[in-house]
Amino acid sequence: MAIREDVLVVGGGIAGATAALAAAESDAKVRLLSHKKSTLRQASGLVDVLGAIPRGGSTDGSGAVSDGAAPADEGSTDQSELVADPLAAIERLPEDHPYRVVGADGIRNGLEIFDDVVGDAYEGGHTDRNALVLTHGGTVKPTARYPQSVAPGLASAEKKTLLVGFAGLTDFDAPAAAAHLDAAGVPFDVDGATVTFPIQFRDDALTTRFAKALDKDQSGVRKRLADVVSEQLDDHERVGFPAMLGDDAGEEVRADLEDRLGAAVFQIPTGPPSLLGMQLEDLLFDALDAAGVRISSGNLAVGYEANDGRIESVLVDQRGNEVPYAAEEFVLATGGLVGKGIDSDRESVTEPVFGCHVPHPEDRYDWSEPAAFGAHAFARFGVVPDGDLRPTDGSGSEEFENLRAAGGVLGGADTAREKSAAGVSLATGAHAGRRAGEEATR
């Protein structure tokens, strides 16, 4: 017997969580199916709406800087324009971009759901304009929402800055990052120092080990860390550490270090496993629990049952048995090529759950460009939505009446170059989830 809901969301990332929360607002019974842990633990924890427009991406084809955009760093090999105001720039995106479907209001709706979820743990909600956040590679990244612990390090604050890395922790080379920022011409003095963490861990220890030690103040590690950093501090007004300053007691750790150092302390987003990404994942799933969304994880969606143009159930592999999960409305939010929501082999590109149409060049050599940071076709592979985010077939007709798609599984956006992945997930997740909830409960 099939498990039945009003709305079934397939996918547990930002898009899936947002869709489930939006559907739950209509008092629909919602279930979220997630195969694996979300890719948020590989993400920075920043929420980018639209950070850049690739050269030639403007509607007039000129590539000239227009309102809301600024030239990218001169040393960058990615020919793009940095965006100051994402909402002002969406009209310059290609016609098939998901933002052109949901519009500025759709982006705002997604951000409203996000802001409600994270509360005061994130900043940036006071303005439509991007903030400039320092990265672990020594660049400046435009982003719309950022953790509170990142805020004191914004590039717009002209404060003499010390970046601190740790011997043996390869995720962050503070002197190299400082040199890159200085060469990029940031409007403040920046220096980098590598110190020894007061507690010795194995060389392959994850940042979570450092975070837990600071949480518990194991062996007086906070004071000992402050003492080591004080030797490098001089007259620096703020100190940036890789994002490992505590987990459960992160704000307490940061406040303690600020008090001991007499300088502002901030975190710099790092690569996987990303502590900031995992903390965002926790916030989203806490919100899903509070909203009454049922969560089923650990099993792969392998197919579906349909009748007369409507999906009746999704089939989930549970120990070799195909178990049906039935619903009135469905949202596909399984991610793109990285998240395996879009699959490919040497011959074709497919959407593996519902078999939705994914347009792509027949010749595999046309899927990419010679330049590493070029306009690769594969980066924009995905299902093609109609005006209500329902996937369409090769003729432009809806695949199924009661299926909508959200996030990376949608085609038309080169989210890596645009710095728009989280924003696309929020905006389309909010739209798809809201419409699914409305249809299921009307």
Side-chain angles (χ1 to χ4, degrees):
M1 180 177 179
I3 300 169
R4 188 166 195 85
E5 311 291 346
D6 293 326
V7 177
L8 184 70
V9 178
V10 185
I14 292 181
T18 305
L21 290 169
E25 290 179 353
S26 63
D27 293 328
K29 290 172 55 182
V30 183
R31 183 179 295 273
L32 184 146
L33 291 178
S34 177
H35 176 211
K36 297 179 180 179
K37 290 185 180 295
S38 85
T39 55
L40 279 169
R41 57 192 53 232
Q42 278 78 52
S44 66
L46 304 176
V47 174
D48 305 333
V49 170
L50 181 62
I53 294 181
R55 297 284 188 188
S58 59
T59 54
D60 64 5
S62 68
V65 177
S66 65
D67 290 346
D73 295 341
E74 291 182 4
S76 173
T77 56
D78 186 0
Q79 296 299 307
S80 60
E81 303 166 3
L82 298 186
V83 170
D85 186 339
L87 297 181
I90 61 173
E91 293 301 318
R92 301 179 60 235
L93 294 168
E95 290 290 340
D96 61 346
H97 196 286
Y99 281 161
R100 302 297 295 272
V101 178
V102 300
D105 286 343
I107 297 173
R108 289 192 179 96
N109 290 340
L111 288 171
E112 284 176 6
I113 291 175
F114 179 84
D115 291 340
D116 286 344
V117 166
V118 300
D120 59 5
Y122 271 67
E123 297 193 15
H126 64 290
T127 177
D128 286 341
R129 296 177 67 83
N130 281 326
L132 297 177
V133 172
L134 307 188
T135 73
H136 70 286
T139 62
V140 175
K141 183 180 185 183
T143 193
R145 300 290 189 273
Y146 43 94
Q148 186 184 56
S149 62
V150 172
L154 295 184
S156 54
E158 298 182 20
K159 296 181 178 181
K160 189 172 182 180
T161 303
L162 175 66
L163 305 182
V164 175
F166 299 103
L169 188 65
T170 58
D171 287 351
F172 181 54
D173 185 332
H180 291 160
L181 288 167
D182 188 55
V186 292
F188 52 85
D189 293 333
V190 56
D191 298 294
T194 300
V195 303
T196 300
F197 194 76
I199 297 177
Q200 186 174 1
F201 295 117
R202 289 173 41 174
D203 289 343
D204 60 351
L206 302 178
T207 54
T208 49
R209 290 288 304 278
F210 294 80
K212 293 299 184 184
L214 288 164
D215 269 348
K216 299 174 182 177
D217 201 14
Q218 184 178 335
S219 303
V221 65
R222 297 180 199 172
K223 179 183 183 302
R224 294 165 62 194
L225 176 57
D227 289 343
V228 170
V229 174
S230 293
E231 296 175 5
Q232 309 288 332
L233 189 59
D234 296 327
D235 59 344
H236 293 92
E237 300 170 89
R238 59 181 177 179
V239 183
F241 293 88
M244 43 159 282
L245 298 183
D247 186 6
D248 298 329
E251 283 308 299
E252 177 187 319
V253 171
R254 196 163 61 87
D256 194 354
L257 291 174
E258 285 186 334
D259 184 59
R260 294 179 186 278
L261 292 171
V265 169
F266 65 95
Q267 297 200 108
I268 299 170
T270 59
S274 166
L275 186 65
L276 297 179
M278 289 186 279
Q279 289 170 340
L280 175 55
E281 181 182 43
D282 289 343
L283 289 170
L284 287 169
F285 276 80
D286 286 346
L288 291 169
D289 286 339
V293 174
R294 299 164 180 82
I295 300 172
S296 299
S297 61
N299 297 296
L300 179 65
V302 295
Y304 67 95
E305 298 172 322
N307 182 41
D308 197 23
R310 289 182 62 85
I311 297 169
E312 295 185 337
S313 66
V314 168
L315 301 176
V316 175
D317 183 357
Q318 294 185 0
R319 298 181 180 180
N321 297 315
E322 292 187 352
V323 178
Y325 283 74
E328 293 296 321
E329 298 287 326
F330 297 81
V331 177
L332 175 66
T334 46
L337 285 167
V338 174
K340 301 300 184 182
I342 300 296
D343 203 359
S344 68
D345 55 28
R346 299 192 65 84
E347 304 297 330
S348 63
V349 183
T350 57
E351 184 280 300
V353 179
F354 298 105
C356 295
H357 173 63
V358 180
H360 58 278
E362 290 186 10
D363 189 339
R364 186 181 175 91
Y365 287 102
D366 292 333
W367 294 6
S368 61
E369 295 291 330
F373 296 98
H376 301 294
F378 70 78
R380 302 180 70 223
F381 286 168
V383 304
V384 179
D386 67 7
D388 203 22
L389 293 183
R390 289 174 293 204
T392 59
D393 60 21
S395 67
S397 300
E398 65 186 34
E399 295 265 17
F400 300 99
E401 179 184 347
N402 60 338
L403 174 67
R404 291 171 179 81
V409 74
L410 292 168
D414 188 345
T415 56
R417 295 179 76 208
E418 297 165 1
K419 299 174 176 57
S420 64
V424 168
S425 292
L426 288 169
T428 58
H431 180 99
R434 176 178 57 82
R435 290 290 294 118
E438 289 172 349
E439 289 294 314
T441 57
R442 68 176 181 174

